[in-house]
Amino acid sequence: MSYKTKFAPLPPTNNDLDFIVGSSDIAKPKRGRKKTKKQYFTPDTYRAIKEYLASSNQEERDNIFARRIHYPFYKLAENLIHTFKFYYTEVDDLEDLKHEVICFLLEKLDYFKPERGSKAFSYFSIVGKNYLILYNNNNYKKKKAKVDPLKADEDEGVLYQLGRDGRKQEIKDFIDYLTEYIDKHMFTMFKKDKDRKVCDAINILFKRRENLEIFNKKALYIYIREMTDVDTPVITKVTKKLKTVYKTLWTEFDETGYVKI
């Protein structure tokens, strides 16, 4: 199936949502509250994806996609392109690039497994970003091969920043999964109170990582010891266990784009 259009799809109307999910599922504005930014990837988008995957009728799938998935995918593609500056393209109009991303996401729809507890937005954001990174890098190489090398090298800073920003966001997403996983499984991983105390302290540091001014390993050990009042060997033992958990979860995240909590 192909959705060949250079024009932005319209968001689902209120009438569509009434028909699809029932009026009780639509958030009603509250008096005196400041309006928040409208979300394009909503709970109904997730429901629509599940219904699309559950259906074997192509006409029904086409209708679900056109009315409830096309617009969220369009906005996701648009945000990825502009957030990470994927501007090395083979097309003259970025609307064409958005269309290519939407087509790729559509091809990957059947690979999404909602029964695993994965988050649709995270999954398709990573899928779309990886597609654009490869697309962007390939076109950068073509540009560099065609133009004066000294002129092309001026753009290397942009390419470096692109990879750096993408990597930072990927690590942030993973650490968010990691801290949530530790919160849920801490009592299973550690049976002793002092071990759990250290684990909780380390998890708090992960959650507050953006506000930390300590990057030295020894200083972090001292900080954790002050937080927990336990000996260094206990911290070392817990840290070793968490490293194993970290590696296992990172492998899962790298392969699927999410961590099953």
Side-chain angles (χ1 to χ4, degrees):
M1 180 177 60
S2 176
Y3 294 90
K4 294 185 177 180
T5 173
K6 286 182 65 173
F7 302 101
L10 296 174
T13 64
N14 286 338
N15 289 336
D16 284 340
L17 291 177
D18 284 336
F19 173 75
I20 295 166
V21 300
S23 59
S24 62
D25 287 339
I26 302 173
K28 294 179 175 58
K30 297 182 179 179
R31 291 184 178 180
R33 293 264 182 116
K34 185 179 180 180
K35 291 184 178 179
T36 57
K37 187 177 180 181
K38 188 174 181 180
Q39 300 296 312
Y40 62 87
F41 222 95
T42 67
D44 180 67
T45 307
Y46 180 70
R47 287 192 290 269
I49 290 171
K50 290 178 68 176
E51 291 172 26
Y52 178 96
L53 295 173
S55 176
S56 57
N57 184 297
Q58 190 59 51
E59 184 176 349
E60 181 182 18
R61 279 186 153 204
D62 290 352
N63 185 50
I64 292 171
F65 183 87
R67 292 179 61 185
R68 300 162 64 192
I69 303 176
H70 190 187
Y71 178 77
F73 274 10
Y74 173 87
K75 294 300 292 182
L76 176 61
E78 181 177 69
N79 287 343
L80 287 173
I81 291 169
H82 293 302
T83 298
F84 297 104
K85 298 178 173 53
F86 291 112
Y87 298 143
Y88 289 105
T89 75
E90 291 182 327
V91 295
D92 296 326
D93 192 331
L94 284 180
E95 291 300 315
D96 292 323
L97 179 57
K98 294 174 193 176
H99 171 69
E100 290 184 26
V101 176
I102 292 168
C103 289
F104 184 76
L105 294 177
L106 180 57
E107 290 176 7
K108 298 301 179 182
L109 251 174
D110 286 311
Y111 291 90
F112 178 64
K113 305 297 181 185
E115 63 272 14
R116 294 180 179 176
S118 54
K119 298 178 181 178
F121 179 75
S122 296
Y123 176 85
F124 288 106
S125 292
I126 291 172
V127 168
K129 185 175 70 176
N130 288 343
Y131 172 81
L132 283 166
I133 287 173
L134 182 62
Y135 178 93
N136 195 82
N137 288 353
N138 286 339
N139 281 294
Y140 173 78
K141 291 176 183 177
K142 291 178 183 178
K143 176 185 175 181
K144 194 167 183 178
K146 292 178 181 178
V147 302
D148 176 55
L150 293 177
K151 185 176 180 181
D153 282 340
E154 293 175 1
D155 290 329
E156 284 189 348
V158 176
L159 193 63
Y160 170 76
Q161 187 64 34
L162 164 68
R164 186 171 179 267
D165 289 344
R167 185 65 172 173
K168 284 172 64 178
Q169 183 61 45
E170 188 176 34
I171 293 174
K172 179 183 181 300
D173 292 341
F174 170 70
I175 296 299
D176 289 341
Y177 277 120
L178 175 67
T179 55
E180 186 178 351
Y181 181 93
I182 292 174
D183 279 337
K184 183 174 180 179
H185 298 281
M186 188 186 307
F187 282 80
T188 303
M189 292 188 293
F190 301 102
K191 304 299 182 183
K192 296 180 180 179
D193 287 340
K194 59 182 179 180
D195 292 345
R196 288 195 292 265
K197 189 186 294 186
V198 172
C199 177
D200 187 50
I202 294 173
N203 208 32
I204 289 173
L205 291 180
F206 273 122
K207 293 176 182 177
R208 298 176 180 174
R209 59 194 179 276
E210 294 181 358
N211 298 321
L212 279 180
E213 297 181 358
I214 303 173
F215 299 100
N216 180 274
K217 181 179 176 181
K218 185 176 180 180
L220 281 170
Y221 263 71
I222 295 172
Y223 187 46
I224 294 169
R225 190 168 62 190
E226 290 176 350
M227 290 174 66
T228 59
D229 194 29
V230 300
D231 295 330
T232 300
V234 178
I235 300 174
T236 303
K237 180 181 67 174
V238 173
T239 302
K240 186 176 180 180
K241 171 68 176 178
L242 290 178
K243 280 183 179 179
T244 302
V245 173
Y246 183 102
K247 291 178 182 178
T248 302
L249 296 184
W250 174 257
T251 300
E252 180 182 354
F253 179 80
D254 192 43
E255 292 176 352
T256 66
Y258 67 93
V259 172
K260 187 176 181 180
I261 305 299

